[in-house]
Amino acid sequence: MTKLDERTIASMDVVLENVCRGLPNSGGDHATRKYVAQKLVQAAKRGNTTLSGLEAVGRRALQEIAQGSTTPHAEHRRDAAGSNSQLRSRHRLH
């Protein structure tokens, strides 16, 4: 796992707040914010650490949700499905 420096983390925090500011419920629901945050972390780990670059990633993530190309809840369901299949596989081994 790539460790992100304090400046990058602070930039990601600022971007998350900025891009989610206009969403309902004082900045969006947990799943939406989590999806955007995950996209920001992925981008930062690939070296995209400037405020403008991260801002573009955050806005793109919101566009994906708005256009229906992904939903933050679908990401959660995919993660849960993967965990459940891993649990079932481990269960069969024992």
Side-chain angles (χ1 to χ4, degrees), residues 45-66:
K45 286 182 177 181
R46 288 190 306 266
N48 185 354
T49 59
T50 65
L51 270 174
S52 60
L54 291 169
E55 185 94 17
V57 169
R59 296 211 180 280
R60 194 174 321 116
L62 286 181
Q63 284 178 332
E64 290 171 2
I65 294 168

Side-chain angles (χ1 to χ4, degrees), residues 64-78:
E64 290 171 2
I65 294 168
Q67 293 171 347
S69 58
T70 190
T71 64
H73 301 290
E75 290 288 317
H76 176 72
R77 285 191 297 271
R78 257 195 306 273

Side-chain angles (χ1 to χ4, degrees), residues 24-46:
N25 301 322
S26 301
D29 61 33
H30 176 75
T32 298
R33 290 178 66 85
K34 181 177 177 181
Y35 179 77
V36 173
Q38 288 172 335
K39 292 295 187 178
L40 292 172
V41 169
Q42 289 171 3
K45 286 182 177 181
R46 288 190 306 266

